[in-house]
Amino acid sequence: LIIHTVWRGITHYFPLTFVQYEPSQTEVGMSWIPLALRGSLYLLAPVLMLSFYFDGTLFSYHPVLMVCACAGLIPLSTDLQIHKASLLPASIRGGSLLRWGHSLTTATAYVVGAIGVRSIYMNKEKFSKPHFTSVHSWLGLFSAGVTSVQVIFGLLYLCSYLLGSFTSVRKIRVHVRKWHRAVARLNLVAFSFTMLSGVLTKWAILNVMPLHLIVFFVAFGLVATSAIF
């Protein structure tokens, strides 16, 4: 309750649009400050990973790419669609540009994430290590399953637009959209716990700087928060 109250108080004065479902007139007219804050939050964790923890080895591709996908591209995609990027002009927010931007950003995130998963799988194969022996790996598998369901609903939603504006199609679209959003929120929380378990692994404890851990905790928490509000 305390965290919720403090967070809502902060966003009242600095509206970060990924935690607010519908933009108000005040938000639409805000200056560049919240935009800069939001962009910094999207980029900070991926930039840290790329700058300090990528050494060209097969293993290093995994944490870098997963953070880029789940703590960078996914919240950006959420902001584009669910929260309508409230700092953008109303004409853009109401059109199909953000819808397709959301789709392309999400697709990019899933491709980047898939490469990250593939890299750790190949790394284990290279050193003949067993798969799915940690909490982190099982949470990752759960996230992958939820992601698959979300992709199915997302594709159905896009296909409904291609089929036109028939009344029956519109009715189906409403239900598909609700399920897509519901699964997306579950996915954001799953991503957050998966990444959190990742920074608690032996590799992270031995290699990640304490200050960077704090940044990652904040970034992952914001991803989960975007699903709650």
Side-chain angles (χ1 to χ4, degrees):
L1 179 61
I2 293 173
I3 294 174
H4 171 81
T5 303
V6 171
W7 181 253
R8 296 300 288 177
I10 293 173
T11 55
H12 175 74
Y13 294 101
F14 298 98
L16 308 178
T17 59
F18 55 78
V19 298
Q20 300 192 16
Y21 188 80
E22 291 294 340
S24 64
Q25 292 299 317
T26 303
E27 292 174 303
V28 174
M30 282 295 290
S31 67
W32 55 269
I33 297 176
L35 179 61
L37 287 173
R38 189 172 76 242
S40 299
L41 290 171
Y42 290 153
L43 293 174
L44 187 55
V47 167
L48 280 178
M49 287 299 299
L50 190 60
S51 301
F52 291 91
Y53 303 105
F54 181 72
D55 56 11
T57 61
L58 192 59
F59 174 84
S60 66
Y61 277 93
H62 177 69
V64 171
L65 292 178
M66 298 314 293
V67 169
C68 288
C70 299
L73 291 169
I74 290 296
L76 173 60
S77 174
T78 303
D79 194 27
L80 285 172
Q81 180 61 23
I82 296 181
H83 310 290
K84 301 301 183 185
S86 65
L87 293 173
L88 297 175
S91 58
I92 297 179
R93 294 199 317 272
S96 61
L97 178 61
L98 291 183
R99 184 186 311 120
W100 287 105
H102 166 75
S103 301
L104 292 175
T105 306
T106 303
T108 302
Y110 291 159
V111 170
V112 171
I115 297 173
V117 171
R118 179 63 177 171
S119 67
I120 194 63
Y121 185 90
M122 293 173 62
N123 185 73
K124 285 181 174 290
E125 288 289 314
K126 180 179 179 180
F127 294 100
S128 300
K129 292 183 177 180
H131 299 283
F132 303 111
T133 58
S134 64
V135 173
H136 177 65
S137 61
W138 282 104
L139 285 173
L141 184 62
F142 174 76
S143 298
V146 176
T147 297
S148 301
V149 176
Q150 183 187 359
V151 168
I152 292 173
F153 281 116
L155 291 175
L156 289 174
Y157 185 68
L158 286 178
C159 289
S160 69
Y161 276 96
L162 299 177
L163 293 175
S165 57
F166 299 108
T167 303
S168 58
V169 174
R170 289 202 302 269
K171 290 181 179 179
I172 295 174
R173 183 186 304 159
V174 171
H175 293 291
V176 170
R177 186 182 187 186
K178 287 181 179 179
W179 279 104
H180 178 63
R181 286 188 171 186
V183 176
R185 282 169 167 77
L186 175 61
N187 211 9
L188 287 166
V189 176
F191 281 151
S192 301
F193 278 102
T194 303
M195 291 186 291
L196 179 60
S197 67
V199 297
L200 296 176
T201 59
K202 182 179 179 180
W203 172 85
I205 293 174
L206 293 176
N207 293 279
V208 178
M209 302 178 193
L211 179 60
H212 292 175
L213 278 177
I214 296 174
V215 173
F216 294 147
F217 285 143
V218 172
F220 304 159
L222 290 174
V223 175
T225 305
S226 67
I228 297 171
F229 291 95

